Amino acid sequence: MRGIRTSLPIIAVAAALTVAGVAPATAATASPPAKAAAQAKATTVYEEGEPGGLLFYSGNRRSKSAWESTRQSKKVRYPAIGEYLAPIGYLKIVDNLDNSYSTATVTAGGVESKYVEIEYSAPAFKDYDYDVEIRGVPLL
């Protein structure tokens, strides 16, 4: 009963607003979800080459937790050894957190190479969250 009693005034207010010509907020007019807002803050930290080749890899790399008491660091190789024989034509790294604490650094390979190694790192009690897109050389 308690839930019904508390929801009746809300329904009455919504009906009164509709009669007055003011539309109450709905899912269509509500503010965007937190994820969409976070994507709007995303910053491209590295971009090289020409987009348009075969997609080798598209994914996300994040740290385990922001509550780690030591520096977080991980070196990743894309694509895996022997996975693709064509060289990389485009590389893009996007920081989803848009903070100045974490870094993503290309340590080996890259555009015009057959692989790329990226090192992600963040200081203690901070985290990282990057989207990576790797494409091959554009086909003719």
Side-chain angles (χ1 to χ4, degrees):
M1 286 305 264
R2 214 173 257 229
I4 294 173
R5 286 185 190 162
T6 58
S7 64
L8 285 177
I10 295 171
I11 293 171
V13 169
L17 287 173
T18 304
V19 169
V22 178
T26 61
T29 60
S31 62
K35 185 174 182 180
Q39 288 175 346
K41 293 181 183 178
T43 305
T44 301
V45 293
Y46 186 89
E47 186 171 9
E48 184 180 2
E50 294 293 323
L54 175 68
L55 181 65
F56 286 171
Y57 177 82
S58 178
N60 181 275
R61 176 63 67 175
R62 13 178 104 124
S63 57
K64 295 177 188 174
S65 169
W67 299 105
E68 295 289 326
S69 61
T70 59
R71 180 175 185 81
Q72 300 183 67
S73 181
K74 179 131 186 141
K75 189 179 278 191
V76 182
R77 179 185 170 113
Y78 302 103
I81 296 173
E83 193 171 338
Y84 293 105
L85 299 176
I88 293 172
Y90 178 70
L91 173 61
K92 181 176 181 178
I93 304 171
V94 177
D95 184 0
N96 294 321
L97 298 179
D98 195 25
N99 61 28
S100 60
Y101 300 111
S102 62
T103 60
T105 307
V106 176
T107 58
V111 174
E112 298 181 9
S113 177
K114 294 183 181 179
Y115 73 98
V116 62
E117 285 184 4
I118 303 172
E119 183 175 358
Y120 306 98
S121 64
F125 301 110
K126 301 293 180 188
D127 55 348
Y128 59 83
D129 184 3
Y130 290 96
D131 286 334
V132 177
E133 180 180 348
I134 302 171
R135 294 186 173 271
V137 176
L139 302 174
L140 297 177

